Every structure is written in C-alpha cells, then in structure tokens.
C-alpha cells in the first residue's frame, strides 16, 4: 500500500506538465469555438489520440497508479483546459471502466479497443444507465433485457437518456433489468456492438454548459446482442441473482452494496474535474484583479476583491485534498466509512459552482460576456453538482453512511 502523499513524484510531475501543455496549447484555444458549435470536437480528440492522451493504455496507467493521484491529476489538467472538450476526451472512459470492472478478460480485450478506435479513425463509447423516470432513483430503471435461450441472445428494450456520446458511440454499454423483483440487484450490463439494429439516437440535448460534449437519448427497440455481450457472463450473473434472491427471501438482511462501493471510488474523478474548472476560473480572476484598475489602483487592492480570491483558492485547495484522499483510499482498498468519495465530489462540485460565479463578479461586465472564458466555465461548472449523483444524493449517501442506514 502506498503512503498517502500530497506531493506528486517526478514521473507524475512530468505527466502533469505534459497534460497541462496539451490543455493549454490544444484544448483551451479550441474551447470557445466548440462551445458555440455544440458538437463533438473530433479533431481535438484525434489530436489527443495522436499524442497518447486518448488511449486505454494511458488511462490504465493512471488508474493503477498506487498513489491514487494519477486519475485526479489527469482530470484536473484536462478540465482546466475546457470541461466540454475534456469530457469528450474522457467520456469513453466511463464505458471502458464499466467493462473493466465487470467484464471478462475476453470482453475487455475485444471491446475496449473498439471504444477508442485508432489514431486514424478515433471512436467514442457511451455508458447508458439513466432513464427518463430513473435518474437519482436508479432502482426504478425499466429498460428490460430478456434472455432468448434458443438463440443464446439477449433482447433489450427501453429508452435511455442523458447518455454522454449516446448514439454517436461505436460501442454502447447499456444497463438493463434482468430480474424486476430484485430492484437494483436485478440489473446487468450489456455491450451493444457497433451497428447493432434497433439501437438509435433519440433527442440530442441542447445544454447550458459542457456543450462540446454530446448528450442524447438512446432508444433500444428489440436490440438483440449475443450471449457473449453480457458483461461478466451468464454463469456469474446467475450466481449473483441466486444470492440476491436468497437474501431477499431471508428478508431485510443488510448486504454490502457493491454498486455504492464503485461509486465511492469513481466520484473523486468527477471531483477532480470540478477542481480543474474552478482552478481555471480562479486563475483568470486573479490575473484580472491584478491588472484591472479602478479608482487609480488595481481592483485586488480592495479587500472586498482580495478576500474573495483568498476564499476561492482556499476552497479549491481543500477540494483537491478531499479528492486526493478519496482517490488514495480507492486504489488502496480502504473502506469508505464516511462516504469520503461522495464527500469529495460534493465539496469539489459545489466549490466549482461558487468559484466560477465569483470569477464572473471579479471580472465585472467582462465576466458576463463570451469575450472572457469565465462565463463558459460557470455554465460548465453547473454539471458537476448534477451528474454522477446530484449534490443532494451525495449528502444523502454521506448522511446514511454516517448513521449506518442502508443505501439502496
Ligand atoms: C450533461 C449530462 C451528462 C450525463 N451523462 C450521463 C451518462 O453518460 N450516462 C448516464 O447514465 N447518465 C448520465 N447523466 C445523467 C445524470 O447522472 C442524471 O441527470 C442524474 O443522476 C440526476 O438524475 P435526473 O436528472 O433524473 O434528476 P432527478 O433524479 O429527477 O432529480 C431532480 C432533483 O431532485 C433531487 N432529488 C432526487 N431524489 C432526491 C432525494 N431522495 N433527496 C433529495 N433530493 C432528491 C435531485 O438532487 C435533483 O435536484 C448525465 C446528465 C447530464 C445532465
């Protein structure tokens, strides 16, 4: 187990500087254009693929970094560049992690490379869990997967919504109900391979922020996938369902919620994205406050402005520390006895919303225009308190963990 450290090692510093260079030279200059276009920035993803930032190898390396700091460092730098473009680059990772966490070695080897494509023909992937009537309440999911034993195929029907890269992905990972009696324990994940008949894109959403990231409904109409597309395989699913049925039969027995443990481990990554956006807005505001003069002196000479900057920086640093702690706990298998993963996401995402609003205030009229990036950063920051569990759900998880109440 690696000791918790607040200092990046030399190798990590090198990677961080390389990521920062890409964020500063490629992502940031393209941010305003793709925000206006509200389209996936394919040329930037391709550029990221060419230099090795858009690849499974790179993320796997960061993911398995024993200090736990590889992923938060990566997210912070890329999202410092621009949140919408960065999400287009890392969104595939959400689906890839779904396969890494639940798939067999064969499934990992077959499908993850197809999620990324290659440097000449980049692809993206989508993770489809949310539904119109199942957002925070994942257990009320309706998309149904039924096994056709004669053909060894699964037949999937339902409507997914809010899917990042939904409909434009080469590979979709779809969560569906296989046993409606078991609530969230009766769910399973499926690969929907490229060009499978019956999968189509529904509405593409016009969003408040992260507009370079594609978000859409995904319609599944009698989608048939081979038995080999069930993540983890049928035998493992049958065993898991039998255990869940047995526990349900015994009634009320408290079971360790594996999905919750996974969320605790993945939420710090979203916290790190929020830290990146917050830091970007803070830096713009600091520079502006130093150089903008009113009443014959830089506006930072007013305590009213300087104290805001002091609070912004303090909160950003505190958010990063919570994120790093939770990431270190995740990689070292520490139990999240106080929902430290949710804590980090809650604090970092609320910080990003607050800090980006303060940045607009410090820039005055300029902050309110699209001539300066803080307006976009403020719109982007709003997503962090919504996806991967809203702030209210994070508080609910933390409170229930502290009180020992079950989390479903
Ligand atoms: C841009 C974007 C990208 C996304 N990407 C993906 C993706 O790739 N894949 C995917 O599967 N999903 C994705 N999502 C979905 C996202 O995870 C959901 O939007 C989120 O979980 C909230 O669900 P909801 O929107 O249905 O809100 P609801 O669950 O309807 O919540 C509405 C409000 O009620 C509050 N609320 C709900 N229940 C409670 C409670 N028990 N106590 C207190 N307050 C409560 C919420 O906090 C919120 O403020 C994305 C969403 C967006 C906007």
């Amino acid at each position: 187990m690696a000791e918790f450290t607040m200092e990046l090692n030399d190798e990590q510093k090198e990677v961080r500087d390389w990521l920062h260079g890409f964020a500063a030279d490629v992502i940031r200059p393209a941010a305003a254009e793709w925000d206006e276009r509200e389209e996936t920035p394919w040329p930037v993803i391709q550029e990221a693929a060419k230099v090795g930032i858009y690849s499974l190898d790179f993320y796997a390396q960061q993911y398995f970094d024993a200090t736990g700091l590889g992923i938060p460092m990566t997210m912070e730098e890329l999202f410092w560049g621009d949140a919408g473009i960065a999400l287009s680059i890392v969104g595939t990772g959400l689906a890839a992690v779904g396969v890494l966490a639940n798939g067999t070695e064969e499934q990992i080897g077959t499908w993850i490379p197809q999620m990324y494509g290659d440097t000449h023909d980049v692809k993206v992937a989508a993770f489809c869990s949310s539904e119109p009537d199942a957002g925070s309440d994942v257990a009320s999911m309706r998309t149904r997967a039924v096994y056709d034993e004669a053909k060894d195929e699964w037949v999937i029907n339902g409507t997914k919504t809010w899917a990042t890269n939904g409909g434009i992905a080469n590979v979709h990972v779809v969560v569906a109900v296989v046993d409606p009696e078991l609530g969230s324990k009766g769910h399973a994940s499926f690969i929907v391979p490229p060009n499978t008949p019956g999968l189509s894109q529904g509405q593409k959403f016009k969003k408040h922020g992260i507009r370079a990231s594609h978000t859409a409904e995904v319609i599944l109409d009698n989608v048939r996938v081979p038995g080999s597309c069930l993540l983890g395989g049928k035998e493992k699913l049958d065993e898991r369902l039998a255990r869940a049925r047995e526990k349900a039969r015994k009634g009320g027995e408290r079971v360790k919620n594996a999905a919750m443990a996974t969320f605790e481990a993945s939420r710090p990554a979203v916290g790190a994205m929020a830290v990146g956006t917050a830091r970007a807005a803070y830096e713009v505001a600091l520079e502006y406050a130093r150089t903008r003069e009113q009443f014959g002196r830089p506006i930072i000479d007013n305590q009213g402005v300087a104290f805001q900057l002091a609070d912004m920086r303090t909160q950003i640093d505190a958010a990063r520390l919570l994120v790093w702690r939770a990431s270190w706990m995740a990689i070292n298998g520490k139990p999240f006895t106080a929902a430290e993963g949710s804590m980090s996401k809650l604090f970092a995402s609320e910080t990003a919303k607050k800090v980006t609003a303060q940045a607009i205030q410090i820039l005055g009229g300029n902050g309110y225009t699209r001539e300066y990036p803080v307006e976009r950063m403020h719109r982007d920051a709003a997503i962090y308190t919504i996806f991967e569990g809203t702030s209210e759900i994070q508080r609910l998880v933390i409170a229930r963990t502290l009180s020992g109440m079950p989390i479903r």
Side-chain angles (χ1 to χ4, degrees):
M1 189 183 77
E3 286 297 312
F4 179 64
T5 170
M6 291 187 287
E7 179 107 67
L8 300 178
N9 60 37
D10 288 346
E11 204 181 314
Q12 288 168 330
K13 280 183 190 157
E14 214 173 287
V15 175
R16 180 201 57 194
D17 294 347
W18 170 63
L19 288 166
H20 187 76
F22 187 81
D25 300 341
V26 182
I27 297 181
R28 185 69 72 84
E33 177 191 343
W34 292 98
D35 174 57
E36 287 300 333
R37 286 173 67 163
E38 298 195 46
E39 286 169 10
T40 301
W42 290 106
V44 185
I45 301 176
Q46 186 146 19
E47 204 56 36
K50 271 191 205 148
V51 298
I53 289 174
Y54 187 69
S55 79
L56 174 67
D57 281 356
F58 173 69
Y59 289 100
Q61 220 175 341
Q62 301 313 314
Y63 188 79
F64 292 113
D65 172 0
T67 67
L69 303 186
I71 288 290
M73 170 189 85
T74 301
M75 295 301 171
E76 182 176 334
E77 292 311 321
L78 295 178
F79 281 74
W80 173 90
D82 176 63
I85 293 178
L87 190 61
S88 290
I89 293 172
V90 308
T92 296
L94 193 62
V97 166
V99 177
L100 273 177
N102 303 308
T104 61
E105 275 189 23
E106 201 184 335
Q107 288 169 331
I108 293 169
T110 305
W111 299 112
I112 296 189
Q114 296 192 47
M115 292 182 169
Y116 285 90
D118 59 50
T119 50
H120 304 291
D121 186 16
V122 286
K123 305 282 188 201
V124 293
F127 178 76
C128 311
S129 171
S130 301
E131 295 181 4
D133 293 325
S136 302
D137 183 10
V138 180
S140 64
M141 184 179 290
R142 288 201 203 136
T143 296
R144 189 80 165 89
V146 176
Y147 188 51
D148 178 347
E149 202 160 357
K151 292 188 174 160
D152 183 26
E153 285 178 347
W154 287 89
V155 187
I156 311 174
N157 278 291
T159 300
K160 294 293 177 183
T161 193
W162 305 123
T164 299
N165 298 334
I168 62 165
N170 201 33
V171 176
H172 291 76
V173 175
V174 172
V175 186
V177 177
V178 289
D179 185 336
E181 304 290 310
L182 293 174
S184 61
K185 306 240 166 21
H187 296 173
S189 298
F190 298 86
I191 293 282
V192 180
N195 306 315
T196 300
L199 185 148
S200 60
Q201 182 184 306
Q203 181 190 2
K204 177 188 168 185
F205 295 104
K206 287 182 77 68
K207 304 195 299 295
H208 177 63
I210 54 162
R211 299 196 302 179
S213 169
H214 172 103
T215 317
E217 286 178 334
V218 172
I219 319 286
L220 300 134
D221 181 14
N222 277 322
V223 168
R224 282 185 166 267
V225 298
S228 59
C229 284
L230 165 67
L231 286 179
K234 182 89 168 54
E235 205 175 308
K236 215 169 139 196
L237 173 70
D238 288 342
E239 282 170 19
R240 180 164 64 78
L241 293 178
R243 274 199 308 275
R245 281 183 202 117
E246 181 60 17
K247 276 171 183 149
R249 195 180 57 76
K250 283 183 186 165
E253 187 183 333
R254 192 73 71 74
V255 289
K256 193 165 164 265
N257 192 329
M260 276 302 149
T262 310
F263 279 137
E264 284 303 315
S266 65
R267 281 176 178 156
V270 180
M273 298 173 187
V275 170
T277 299
R279 189 184 111 212
Y282 155 78
E283 286 175 6
V284 174
L286 178 63
E287 183 53 25
Y288 193 89
R290 276 189 184 134
T291 49
R292 168 74 176 165
E293 293 197 0
Q294 285 294 278
F295 303 99
R297 57 183 185 166
I299 57 170
I300 200 169
D301 277 0
N302 301 290
Q303 275 192 349
V305 174
F307 281 14
Q308 278 195 72
L309 286 157
D311 285 347
M312 288 157 80
R313 177 58 192 265
T314 303
Q315 284 167 23
I316 292 166
D317 280 16
R320 186 183 298 105
L321 283 176
L322 285 174
V323 165
W324 283 17
R325 176 180 73 166
S327 303
W328 171 78
M329 290 174 73
I331 193 74
N332 288 294
K334 294 262 177 203
F336 290 97
T337 51
E340 289 88 344
S342 297
M343 253 187 219
S344 72
K345 198 253 177 191
L346 170 64
F347 189 78
S349 54
E350 292 293 339
T351 294
K353 247 168 93 165
K354 208 170 357 172
V355 163
T356 52
Q358 284 173 303
I360 290 181
Q361 191 64 22
I362 290 171
L363 267 71
N366 281 331
Y368 200 61
T369 70
R370 294 197 181 172
E371 298 299 310
Y372 285 79
V374 292
E375 179 269 348
R376 184 182 67 251
M377 291 165 183
H378 183 51
R379 284 187 286 110
D380 292 343
I383 191 57
Y384 301 125
T385 64
I386 296 173
F387 69 7
E388 199 69 17
T390 64
S391 284
E392 292 73 25
I393 294 302
Q394 309 303 323
R395 290 187 179 99
L396 187 143
V397 169
I398 297 164
R400 289 195 177 165
T401 304
L402 296 177
S403 65
M405 283 167 73
I407 303 160
R408 54 175 193 116

